[in-house]
Amino acid sequence: MAEKIKQVLIEEEMKNSYIDYAMSVITARALPDVNDGLKPVHRRILYAMHKAGLQHNKPFRKCARVVGDVLGRYHPHGDMAVYDSLVRMAQDFSLRYPLIKGQGNFGSIEGYSAASMRYTECKLTPIAEEMLNDIDKDTVKFIPNYDESYKEPIVLPGKFPNLLVNGTTGIAVGMTSSIPPHNLREIADAIIAMIDNSEIKTEELMQFVKGPDFPTAATIIGNGGIRKTYKTGRGRVKVRAKCEFEDKKIIISEIPYMVNKTSLIESMAELVKSKRVEGIKDIRDESDRKGMRIVIMLKDSANKEVVLNQLYKHTQLQTTFSIIMTSLVAGQPKTMSLKHLISFFIQHRKRTVIRRTEFELKKSEDRVHILEGLRIALKNIDNVVKDIKESKDVETAKALLIEKYKLSEKQSLAILDMRLQRLTGLEQTKLQEEYNGLLDIIKDLKDLLNSEPRIFGVIKSETLELKEKYGDDRRTVIMDGEEEDIEDESLIENEAVIITATRDGYIKQTLLEDYRQQKRGGTGIIATEKKEEDIVEHLFSTKTHSYLLFFTNIGRVCWLKVYNIPRGSRYSKGKAIVNLLKLEEGEKVNAILPISDLSRESYIMFATKKGKVKKTPLKSFSKPRKIGIKAIKLEDKDEVVAVKLTPGNLGIIVGSKLGNAVKFNEVDVRVMGRNASGVRGIRLKEKDEVVGMEIANPEATLLTVTEKGFGKRTDMNEYRLTRRGGKGVRNIKITDKNGNVVGIKTVKDEDEAMFITQNGVVIRTTVNGISKIGRSTQGVRLIKLREGDKVKTVTRIISRI
């Protein structure tokens, strides 16, 4: 009779089928059991090797044989899935404490795969045997295999805390597990601490468990992610390679966990090829059996700290390891804290010890039962022998013994199987001693079962034994502090540098000491190698940890750390700013402002070529964006000329190209937002334009420099304070001899000044060597110019940076 067709909704059928599939993946493939920390395939491999007698002190056997046993008896899936799992358990760069000892090619950290299973051999490691110890003592439950021809354990006894010590990774349906490896000594100490105090807190456990301990060592940056992980079961840790400087080299001796060394080197080479990282001239892999050694050869002009930080940022020299401590508890996936994971392990060991003790107790009681029968037989040996001789067959003899001497069936069979040598006096004495010893053992085992403290004592002693036998020192270093507090610049010396930027958009940093002092009137030294027609527009001193705010001709501002500016020699051209900043087409940097702290209570004062000024709070620029933001609204054909950082109530002096200057208090300029265009600062004549803006420090002098190499200093009190927006007063007398003004600077006697020409010649001199004269003079010669050369830039260098 045909089976009746059942109608079901396709939505319900798909839902139920998908849930069944998902649960199958979760419970039977992807997630580890909380008790032994193993997935089914790993458990079956270890159990199959145990049954095949592949202990650590036995000969190796082909991996193909082991894979065949696993497939045929326990794991009806693909052979490569089994072999890949076996290989990983043998890799010392994948597991902190490998469970399989391999012979042959089992892959490498370079990314090379293992040889075929027919070429490799394997056996269990001593630690794996600790996982399997007592499995034959009814310590765990066994279930039928897929075809019910064999039995397999649902979990291993697991004396070794494998889940936390070796970790695991697995992707199921809708969830994942990623538990990092840990140090055995630390986990053992934490287990003992929790046994002693079941109410122990996570913070107290962290006194023992410092954090993950990766087989590839490396360094964990900060411990905030570790604390979060151990409390909630989820978190992230930043892992960084161990790198050291050696002359003009970066030596890499340890890399983050699960990073492919070959891919890492290839990614670094690609960065060099694409010029995203500059300063590297060669990368060599000098690793050998003694350990890893990747050598990065640097160019002479390279800043080694900056290069290393760029590699941290763009390669897997620094990675983020996401931790999700999910495992199966009674077949259900749960994400647990460190305390819960240790607690479940202790409970598992408690159940194992109890079942092992019950097994040994039953075995001892059974033996005592047999010995009691033998003792009865020995006391009546003549009658027993006579009864056996007179019996027709074994069954008759057994029944007679049971009835006449009140024995059990097992006892009567033991008597019938007894050898005649047992009748000797020595053998009888041994039987009595064995009997008395077993009685003591039974008493002790019963006492153990009735005493929870004794059970925990056994767990503690076994854990301590593991610690002493297999424990080793921590490999991964944990750098103190929070991840957020660890910046790349912590590796970079905060030193004084000169920033040079050209009109055509090239920028570099140079150490301040590369420029020697000269007397006034010297011919100077080359500050930069530039292409024909290019001129240097920005040159100033700062520190490597400061921010650079780049103000462009269209009124935008972009941020960059000084140490991210490539370092060059005095003769180098530098790097194109467009490769460092996200500039629009036709946009160029017109002003650069170095700032050490973006959060302080200060203001940025703008001055434009057309005489506008604007004051905006520094905090308006405290959230750097790579693409930049609008800093000022500019009129047509106007540009930003100068930018100053001020407290908001200082005197400001603005100088023009035709030799005028106006001094006013910045209080006269109201505070405006970033999108404002500003107010008039100086009224300009036709063809005149602003060349500079300075803080009018009454204790300083105003240095004015012209394009033909002349200049002077004038006391600040010679400039009367007026309202903003006026024409101002004469600052310097302009003639054909000295030319138009190229810049003004507020200086003190102890300062130094640096002038640079359009041909790239620079001179650095002390300010007190420049004449201090009145406003209406044309100044004195500051630099001897070659024919056709002109001064384009003047900057002040503070004597103590």
Side-chain angles (χ1 to χ4, degrees):
M1 183 178 179
E3 185 177 350
K4 185 178 180 181
I5 296 175
K6 181 181 178 181
Q7 292 187 350
V8 295
L9 292 173
I10 186 65
E11 294 90 343
E12 288 297 322
E13 181 62 25
M14 289 294 293
K15 177 181 177 181
N16 293 334
S17 298
Y18 189 78
I19 290 176
D20 291 342
Y21 160 73
M23 289 305 299
S24 173
V25 172
I26 290 170
T27 60
R29 191 181 307 174
L31 297 185
D33 191 281
V34 72
N35 297 308
D36 60 6
L38 296 171
K39 301 175 187 178
V41 64
H42 300 111
R43 187 179 301 114
R44 289 163 175 168
I45 291 171
L46 294 179
Y47 183 65
M49 293 176 70
H50 169 76
K51 295 298 287 184
L54 297 181
Q55 279 70 36
H56 76 279
N57 54 356
K58 299 294 179 61
F60 287 95
R61 188 173 293 178
K62 288 287 185 182
C63 291
R65 168 68 183 274
V66 174
V67 171
D69 287 346
V70 174
L71 292 178
R73 296 183 178 184
Y74 311 114
H75 198 72
H77 297 280
D79 60 335
M80 288 311 298
V82 176
Y83 184 53
D84 288 345
S85 299
L86 185 153
V87 165
R88 188 175 186 277
M89 287 195 287
Q91 294 173 335
D92 58 2
F93 55 87
S94 294
L95 266 64
R96 184 64 175 81
Y97 301 89
L99 300 176
I100 292 176
K101 182 174 179 60
Q103 183 166 269
N105 175 16
F106 275 78
S108 68
I109 197 169
E110 283 84 0
Y112 300 117
S113 58
S116 176
M117 69 181 80
R118 64 181 180 272
Y119 299 120
T120 56
E121 298 177 333
C122 65
K123 61 181 178 180
L124 295 172
T125 62
I127 284 182
E129 292 177 26
E130 301 287 357
M131 295 283 295
L132 291 153
N133 273 356
D134 303 324
I135 196 169
D136 298 324
K137 294 183 179 181
D138 196 30
T139 50
V140 294
K141 183 180 178 181
F142 280 73
I143 58 174
N145 69 338
Y146 63 93
D147 63 357
E148 298 188 357
S149 58
Y150 294 93
K151 296 281 188 178
E152 63 174 311
I154 61 172
V155 68
L156 299 186
K159 184 191 300 183
F160 177 70
N162 182 68
L163 182 61
L164 279 169
V165 172
N166 273 329
T168 186
T169 57
I171 300 175
V173 179
M175 64 184 63
T176 185
S177 179
S178 178
I179 302 176
H182 290 80
N183 185 272
L184 175 57
R185 289 177 179 171
E186 295 180 2
I187 295 299
D189 289 339
I191 291 170
I192 293 169
M194 181 170 282
I195 291 174
D196 292 337
N197 177 17
S198 60
E199 301 299 323
I200 193 171
K201 296 181 179 179
T202 300
E203 291 79 2
E204 296 174 286
L205 283 174
M206 287 187 65
Q207 295 177 7
F208 306 101
V209 184
K210 307 300 181 182
D213 188 23
F214 299 110
T216 54
T219 301
I220 293 176
I221 306 299
N223 48 30
I226 298 174
R227 284 199 301 270
K228 181 181 178 183
T229 298
Y230 289 167
K231 287 182 179 180
T232 66
R234 290 176 177 265
R236 297 189 303 172
V237 294
K238 190 180 292 184
V239 186
R240 178 178 288 179
K242 181 181 179 181
C243 302
E244 297 172 329
F245 297 119
E246 184 179 297
D247 298 327
K248 296 298 291 185
K249 303 175 185 176
I250 299 174
I251 309 298
I252 303 169
S253 55
E254 299 170 0
I255 61 176
Y257 184 50
M258 298 178 70
V259 170
N260 184 309
K261 188 179 75 172
T262 301
S263 299
L264 174 65
I265 295 174
E266 289 175 353
S267 67
M268 290 191 290
E270 182 60 33
L271 288 172
V272 175
K273 183 179 178 181
S274 63
K275 296 186 177 181
R276 293 185 64 189
V277 175
E278 295 188 345
I280 297 177
K281 64 180 181 181
D282 192 19
I283 302 174
R284 298 202 302 260
D285 185 2
E286 299 179 358
S287 305
D288 55 23
R289 296 193 178 190
K290 296 180 181 179
M292 182 180 297
R293 180 180 168 90
I294 303 172
V295 180
I296 300 174
M297 307 292 291
L298 302 178
K299 298 178 181 177
D300 292 338
S301 61
N303 184 319
K304 56 188 179 183
E305 291 89 355
V306 172
V307 172
L308 179 57
N309 290 334
Q310 289 175 335
L311 293 176
Y312 282 147
K313 182 177 180 181
H314 297 295
T315 72
Q316 288 188 303
L317 276 185
Q318 179 171 291
T319 62
T320 299
F321 189 92
S322 296
I323 303 174
I324 305 175
M325 298 201 293
T326 301
S327 56
L328 296 175
V329 179
Q332 299 296 318
K334 289 186 179 181
T335 301
M336 292 166 285
S337 66
L338 174 67
K339 181 178 178 179
H340 286 142
L341 289 178
I342 295 176
S343 176
F344 276 112
F345 175 77
I346 293 173
Q347 292 175 28
H348 172 61
R349 289 302 300 159
K350 180 181 176 182
R351 289 192 298 269
T352 302
V353 170
I354 290 174
R355 293 188 61 156
R356 181 183 67 193
T357 305
E358 290 174 342
F359 175 86
E360 292 174 345
L361 176 61
K362 185 177 185 304
K363 183 178 178 182
S364 297
E365 289 176 336
D366 289 345
R367 180 58 180 167
V368 165
H369 182 64
I370 297 297
L371 291 176
E372 288 175 343
L374 294 177
R375 290 176 68 205
I376 293 173
L378 290 173
K379 286 181 181 179
N380 302 278
I381 189 62
D382 294 335
N383 293 330
V384 168
V385 171
K386 180 182 177 182
D387 292 337
I388 294 174
K389 287 175 66 178
E390 292 177 353
S391 297
K392 183 176 63 174
D393 52 29
V394 173
E395 287 298 323
T396 303
K398 181 177 72 172
L400 180 62
L401 291 175
I402 292 174
E403 180 181 355
K404 186 173 182 180
Y405 300 101
K406 308 301 180 184
L407 300 175
S408 67
E409 184 174 349
K410 289 183 178 180
Q411 288 174 325
S412 62
L413 287 174
I415 293 171
L416 291 172
D417 292 335
M418 185 176 63
R419 295 181 180 181
L420 292 176
Q421 69 181 28
R422 289 286 190 179
L423 301 180
T424 65
L426 181 60
E427 286 296 321
Q428 292 185 41
T429 302
K430 287 183 178 179
L431 283 176
Q432 186 62 40
E433 289 175 352
E434 182 184 1
Y435 178 76
N436 294 334
L438 283 174
L439 290 179
D440 292 337
I441 291 173
I442 290 171
K443 180 181 178 181
D444 183 66
L445 292 175
K446 288 182 176 179
D447 180 69
L448 175 61
L449 288 173
N450 294 324
S451 174
E452 190 174 74
R454 282 199 61 190
I455 293 174
F456 285 132
V458 171
I459 299 173
K460 285 174 63 175
S461 64
E462 291 179 347
T463 303
L464 283 171
E465 182 183 351
L466 279 175
K467 175 185 173 182
E468 294 300 320
K469 195 172 181 181
Y470 305 108
D472 57 5
D473 294 333
R474 163 174 281 278
R475 298 179 187 176
T476 300
V477 175
I478 299 177
M479 189 179 295
D480 291 335
E482 300 298 325
E483 296 91 325
E484 297 76 16
D485 297 331
I486 305 297
E487 298 291 343
D488 287 343
E489 66 186 38
S490 63
L491 299 175
I492 300 174
E493 182 180 354
N494 192 18
E495 55 189 345
V497 293
I498 296 294
I499 299 294
T500 307
T502 71
R503 183 183 63 186
D504 283 0
Y506 288 89
I507 190 170
K508 67 174 180 177
Q509 61 161 301
T510 311
L511 288 175
L512 180 60
E513 52 263 29
D514 287 352
Y515 296 92
R516 64 181 185 271
Q517 288 191 8
Q518 297 182 26
K519 296 295 184 181
R520 178 176 65 85
T523 57
I525 56 178
I526 296 295
T528 184
E529 182 68 31
K530 58 180 186 54
K531 63 182 182 180
E532 189 177 355
E533 307 265 330
D534 197 6
I535 61 174
V536 173
E537 288 193 332
H538 308 285
L539 189 148
F540 53 85
S541 60
T542 183
K543 289 284 194 73
T544 49
H545 284 197
S546 297
Y547 281 96
L548 292 183
L549 269 59
F550 294 83
F551 297 91
T552 72
N553 59 332
I554 63 173
R556 291 196 320 124
V557 61
C558 299
W559 291 261
L560 202 63
K561 280 282 190 176
V562 171
Y563 57 73
N564 286 321
I565 303 295
R567 180 167 293 179
S569 66
R570 290 188 289 105
Y571 301 96
S572 63
K573 180 173 61 174
K575 186 173 182 177
I577 294 179
V578 294
N579 292 333
L580 300 173
L581 305 175
K582 294 187 180 295
L583 301 180
E584 299 177 6
E585 186 176 354
E587 185 178 14
K588 60 174 290 188
V589 174
N590 271 4
I592 305 174
L593 183 63
I595 295 178
S596 59
D597 184 6
L598 291 169
S599 63
R600 64 184 182 181
E601 293 291 338
S602 299
Y603 298 89
I604 291 183
M605 179 69 75
F606 296 83
T608 72
K609 184 188 293 186
K610 290 188 175 183
K612 288 286 189 74
V613 294
K614 189 183 83 160
K615 184 169 67 176
T616 302
L618 177 61
K619 289 183 178 180
S620 299
F621 304 92
S622 62
K623 296 181 179 179
R625 297 181 193 168
K626 290 184 178 180
I627 60 173
I629 59 174
K630 180 176 286 188
I632 184 173
K633 183 179 179 181
L634 296 174
E635 298 178 358
D636 186 35
K637 296 183 180 180
D638 199 4
E639 293 182 0
V640 174
V641 172
V643 180
K644 295 293 177 184
L645 185 67
T646 73
N649 57 359
L650 297 180
I652 299 294
I653 188 165
V654 178
S656 75
K657 180 175 71 173
L658 298 183
N660 282 354
V662 61
K663 185 172 76 170
F664 58 88
N665 196 308
E666 64 172 313
V667 175
D668 294 343
V669 182
R670 70 179 186 276
V671 178
M672 307 176 206
R674 290 187 294 104
N675 292 320
S677 60
V679 294
R680 177 177 292 171
I682 183 173
R683 190 180 298 275
L684 298 172
K685 300 177 183 178
E686 188 178 355
K687 296 184 179 180
D688 198 5
E689 59 188 41
V690 173
V691 294
M693 174 183 68
E694 288 292 309
I695 305 298
N697 186 349
E699 298 178 359
T701 56
L702 186 68
L703 172 64
T704 305
V705 181
T706 66
E707 61 186 0
K708 293 188 177 181
F710 285 75
K712 66 179 179 67
R713 291 188 297 147
T714 304
D715 285 332
M716 198 63 70
N717 56 18
E718 290 197 28
Y719 301 88
R720 69 178 186 272
L721 188 66
T722 65
R723 304 286 292 181
R724 65 165 179 83
K727 294 181 179 179
V729 297
R730 176 174 289 181
N731 177 32
I732 190 171
K733 186 177 180 180
I734 300 300
T735 65
D736 292 339
K737 180 180 179 181
N738 61 1
N740 292 329
V741 178
V742 295
I744 60 172
K745 295 293 173 185
T746 301
V747 294
K748 294 183 179 180
D749 289 344
E750 64 269 22
D751 291 342
E752 298 175 5
M754 189 175 285
F755 320 114
I756 195 159
T757 74
Q758 64 182 10
N759 288 336
V761 177
V762 66
I763 183 170
R764 175 178 173 181
T765 185
T766 56
V767 166
N768 59 14
I770 300 174
S771 300
K772 187 189 296 185
I773 51 183
R775 291 189 292 105
S776 298
T777 59
Q778 65 179 2
V780 297
R781 185 177 297 278
L782 303 179
I783 182 172
K784 291 179 182 179
L785 299 173
R786 294 180 175 90
E787 186 177 353
D789 202 3
K790 291 182 180 181
V791 176
K792 297 302 296 182
T793 304
V794 57
T795 188
R796 177 192 63 186
I797 300 177
I798 301 173
S799 58
R800 294 181 181 178
I801 300 180

Coordinates of all heavy atoms in Angstrom, one line a residue, residues 325-364:
M325 N 35.1 32.8 24.1 CA 35.3 31.6 24.8 C 34.0 30.8 24.9 O 33.3 30.7 25.9 CB 35.9 31.9 26.2 CG 37.2 32.5 26.2 SD 38.2 32.4 27.6 CE 37.3 33.4 28.8
T326 N 33.7 30.2 23.7 CA 32.4 29.4 23.5 C 32.8 28.0 23.5 O 33.7 27.6 22.7 CB 31.7 29.9 22.3 OG1 31.3 31.3 22.4 CG2 30.4 29.1 22.1
S327 N 32.1 27.2 24.2 CA 32.2 25.7 24.2 C 30.9 25.0 24.5 O 30.0 25.7 24.9 CB 33.4 25.2 25.1 OG 33.1 25.7 26.4
L328 N 30.9 23.7 24.3 CA 29.7 22.9 24.6 C 29.6 22.5 26.0 O 30.5 21.9 26.6 CB 29.6 21.7 23.7 CG 29.6 22.0 22.2 CD1 29.6 20.7 21.4 CD2 28.3 22.7 21.8
V329 N 28.5 22.8 26.6 CA 28.2 22.4 28.0 C 26.9 21.5 27.9 O 25.8 22.0 27.6 CB 27.9 23.6 29.0 CG1 27.6 23.1 30.4 CG2 29.1 24.5 29.0
A330 N 27.1 20.2 28.2 CA 26.0 19.3 28.0 C 25.3 19.4 26.7 O 24.1 19.3 26.5 CB 25.0 19.5 29.1
G331 N 26.1 19.6 25.6 CA 25.6 19.6 24.3 C 25.1 21.0 23.9 O 24.7 21.2 22.7
Q332 N 25.1 22.0 24.8 CA 24.6 23.3 24.5 C 25.7 24.3 24.4 O 26.6 24.4 25.3 CB 23.6 23.8 25.5 CG 22.4 22.9 25.6 CD 21.5 22.9 24.4 OE1 21.3 23.9 23.7 NE2 21.1 21.7 24.0
P333 N 25.8 25.1 23.3 CA 26.9 26.1 23.2 C 26.7 27.3 24.2 O 25.6 27.8 24.4 CB 26.8 26.6 21.8 CG 25.4 26.4 21.4 CD 24.9 25.2 22.1
K334 N 27.8 27.6 25.0 CA 27.7 28.7 25.9 C 29.0 29.5 25.9 O 30.1 28.9 25.7 CB 27.5 28.2 27.3 CG 26.1 27.6 27.6 CD 25.9 27.3 29.1 CE 24.5 26.8 29.4 NZ 24.3 26.4 30.8
T335 N 28.9 30.8 26.0 CA 30.1 31.7 26.1 C 30.3 31.9 27.6 O 29.5 32.5 28.2 CB 29.9 33.0 25.3 OG1 29.6 32.7 23.9 CG2 31.1 33.8 25.4
M336 N 31.5 31.6 28.0 CA 31.8 31.6 29.5 C 33.0 32.4 29.8 O 33.9 32.6 29.0 CB 32.0 30.2 30.0 CG 30.7 29.3 29.9 SD 31.0 27.6 30.1 CE 31.7 27.2 28.5
S337 N 33.0 32.9 31.1 CA 34.2 33.6 31.6 C 35.3 32.6 32.0 O 35.1 31.4 32.0 CB 33.8 34.4 32.9 OG 33.4 33.5 33.9
L338 N 36.5 33.1 32.3 CA 37.6 32.3 32.8 C 37.2 31.5 34.0 O 37.5 30.2 34.1 CB 38.8 33.2 33.1 CG 40.0 32.4 33.7 CD1 40.6 31.5 32.7 CD2 41.0 33.5 34.2
K339 N 36.5 32.1 34.9 CA 36.1 31.4 36.1 C 35.2 30.2 35.8 O 35.3 29.1 36.4 CB 35.4 32.3 37.1 CG 35.0 31.7 38.4 CD 34.3 32.7 39.3 CE 33.8 32.0 40.6 NZ 33.2 33.0 41.5
H340 N 34.2 30.4 34.9 CA 33.3 29.3 34.5 C 34.1 28.2 33.8 O 33.8 27.0 34.1 CB 32.2 29.8 33.6 CG 31.2 30.7 34.3 ND1 30.6 31.8 33.8 CD2 30.7 30.6 35.5 CE1 29.8 32.3 34.6 NE2 29.8 31.6 35.7
L341 N 35.0 28.5 33.0 CA 35.7 27.4 32.3 C 36.5 26.6 33.2 O 36.6 25.4 33.1 CB 36.7 28.1 31.2 CG 36.0 28.7 30.0 CD1 37.0 29.3 29.1 CD2 35.2 27.6 29.2
I342 N 37.2 27.2 34.2 CA 38.0 26.5 35.2 C 37.0 25.7 36.1 O 37.3 24.5 36.4 CB 38.8 27.5 36.0 CG1 39.9 28.1 35.1 CG2 39.5 26.7 37.2 CD1 40.7 29.2 35.8
S343 N 35.9 26.3 36.4 CA 34.9 25.6 37.3 C 34.4 24.3 36.6 O 34.3 23.2 37.2 CB 33.8 26.5 37.6 OG 32.8 25.8 38.3
F344 N 34.1 24.4 35.3 CA 33.6 23.2 34.6 C 34.7 22.1 34.5 O 34.4 20.9 34.5 CB 33.1 23.6 33.2 CG 31.7 24.1 33.1 CD1 31.4 25.4 32.8 CD2 30.7 23.2 33.4 CE1 30.1 25.9 32.8 CE2 29.3 23.7 33.4 CZ 29.1 25.0 33.1
F345 N 36.0 22.6 34.3 CA 37.0 21.6 34.3 C 37.2 20.8 35.6 O 37.3 19.6 35.7 CB 38.4 22.3 33.9 CG 39.6 21.3 34.0 CD1 39.8 20.4 33.0 CD2 40.4 21.4 35.1 CE1 40.9 19.6 33.1 CE2 41.5 20.5 35.2 CZ 41.7 19.6 34.2
I346 N 37.1 21.6 36.7 CA 37.1 21.0 38.1 C 36.0 20.0 38.3 O 36.2 18.9 38.8 CB 37.1 22.1 39.1 CG1 38.4 22.9 39.0 CG2 37.0 21.5 40.5 CD1 38.5 24.1 40.0
Q347 N 34.8 20.4 37.8 CA 33.6 19.5 37.9 C 33.8 18.2 37.1 O 33.5 17.1 37.6 CB 32.4 20.2 37.5 CG 31.9 21.4 38.4 CD 30.7 22.1 37.8 OE1 29.9 21.5 37.1 NE2 30.6 23.4 38.1
H348 N 34.4 18.4 35.9 CA 34.7 17.2 35.1 C 35.7 16.3 35.8 O 35.5 15.1 35.8 CB 35.2 17.7 33.7 CG 35.7 16.5 32.9 ND1 34.9 15.5 32.5 CD2 37.0 16.3 32.4 CE1 35.6 14.7 31.7 NE2 36.9 15.1 31.7
R349 N 36.7 16.9 36.3 CA 37.7 16.1 37.0 C 37.2 15.4 38.3 O 37.5 14.3 38.6 CB 38.9 16.9 37.4 CG 39.8 17.3 36.2 CD 40.3 16.2 35.5 NE 41.2 15.3 36.3 CZ 41.4 14.0 36.1 NH1 40.9 13.4 35.0 NH2 42.2 13.3 36.9
K350 N 36.3 16.1 38.9 CA 35.6 15.5 40.1 C 34.8 14.3 39.7 O 34.9 13.2 40.3 CB 34.7 16.5 40.8 CG 34.0 16.0 42.0 CD 33.1 17.1 42.6 CE 32.3 16.6 43.8 NZ 31.4 17.6 44.4
R351 N 34.0 14.4 38.6 CA 33.2 13.3 38.1 C 34.2 12.1 37.7 O 33.9 10.9 38.0 CB 32.4 13.7 37.0 CG 31.2 14.6 37.3 CD 30.2 14.7 36.1 NE 30.9 15.3 35.0 CZ 30.9 16.6 34.7 NH1 30.3 17.4 35.6 NH2 31.5 17.1 33.7
T352 N 35.3 12.5 37.1 CA 36.2 11.4 36.6 C 36.8 10.7 37.8 O 37.0 9.5 37.8 CB 37.3 12.1 35.7 OG1 36.7 12.7 34.6 CG2 38.3 11.0 35.2
V353 N 37.3 11.5 38.8 CA 37.9 10.9 40.0 C 36.9 10.0 40.7 O 37.2 8.9 41.2 CB 38.4 11.9 40.9 CG1 38.9 11.3 42.3 CG2 39.6 12.7 40.3
I354 N 35.7 10.4 40.8 CA 34.6 9.6 41.5 C 34.4 8.3 40.7 O 34.3 7.2 41.3 CB 33.3 10.4 41.7 CG1 33.5 11.6 42.7 CG2 32.2 9.5 42.1 CD1 32.3 12.5 42.8
R355 N 34.2 8.4 39.4 CA 34.0 7.2 38.6 C 35.2 6.3 38.7 O 35.0 5.0 38.7 CB 33.6 7.6 37.2 CG 32.3 8.3 37.1 CD 31.8 8.5 35.6 NE 31.7 7.2 34.9 CZ 30.9 7.1 33.9 NH1 30.1 8.1 33.5 NH2 30.8 5.9 33.3
R356 N 36.4 6.8 38.6 CA 37.6 6.0 38.7 C 37.6 5.3 40.1 O 38.0 4.1 40.1 CB 38.8 6.9 38.5 CG 40.1 6.1 38.5 CD 41.3 7.1 38.3 NE 41.4 7.9 39.5 CZ 42.2 9.0 39.5 NH1 42.9 9.4 38.4 NH2 42.3 9.8 40.6
T357 N 37.3 6.0 41.1 CA 37.4 5.5 42.4 C 36.3 4.4 42.6 O 36.6 3.3 43.2 CB 37.1 6.6 43.5 OG1 38.1 7.6 43.3 CG2 37.3 6.0 44.9
E358 N 35.1 4.6 42.1 CA 34.1 3.6 42.1 C 34.5 2.3 41.3 O 34.2 1.2 41.8 CB 32.8 4.2 41.5 CG 32.1 5.2 42.4 CD 30.9 5.9 41.8 OE1 30.8 5.8 40.5 OE2 30.1 6.5 42.5
F359 N 35.1 2.5 40.2 CA 35.6 1.4 39.4 C 36.6 0.6 40.2 O 36.6 -0.6 40.2 CB 36.2 1.9 38.1 CG 36.8 0.9 37.2 CD1 36.1 0.1 36.4 CD2 38.2 0.6 37.3 CE1 36.7 -0.9 35.6 CE2 38.8 -0.4 36.6 CZ 38.0 -1.1 35.7
E360 N 37.6 1.3 40.8 CA 38.6 0.6 41.6 C 38.1 0.0 42.8 O 38.5 -1.1 43.2 CB 39.7 1.6 42.0 CG 40.5 2.1 40.7 CD 41.5 3.2 41.1 OE1 41.4 3.8 42.2 OE2 42.4 3.5 40.3
L361 N 37.0 0.6 43.4 CA 36.4 0.0 44.6 C 35.7 -1.3 44.2 O 35.8 -2.3 44.9 CB 35.4 1.0 45.2 CG 34.6 0.5 46.4 CD1 35.4 0.1 47.5 CD2 33.5 1.6 46.8
K362 N 34.9 -1.2 43.1 CA 34.2 -2.4 42.6 C 35.2 -3.5 42.3 O 35.0 -4.7 42.6 CB 33.4 -2.1 41.4 CG 32.5 -3.3 41.0 CD 31.6 -2.8 39.8 CE 30.6 -4.0 39.4 NZ 31.3 -5.2 39.1
K363 N 36.3 -3.2 41.6 CA 37.3 -4.2 41.3 C 38.0 -4.8 42.5 O 38.2 -6.0 42.6 CB 38.4 -3.5 40.4 CG 39.5 -4.4 39.9 CD 40.5 -3.6 39.1 CE 41.6 -4.6 38.6 NZ 42.6 -3.8 37.8
S364 N 38.2 -4.0 43.5 CA 38.8 -4.5 44.8 C 37.8 -5.4 45.5 O 38.2 -6.4 46.1 CB 39.2 -3.3 45.7 OG 40.2 -2.6 45.0

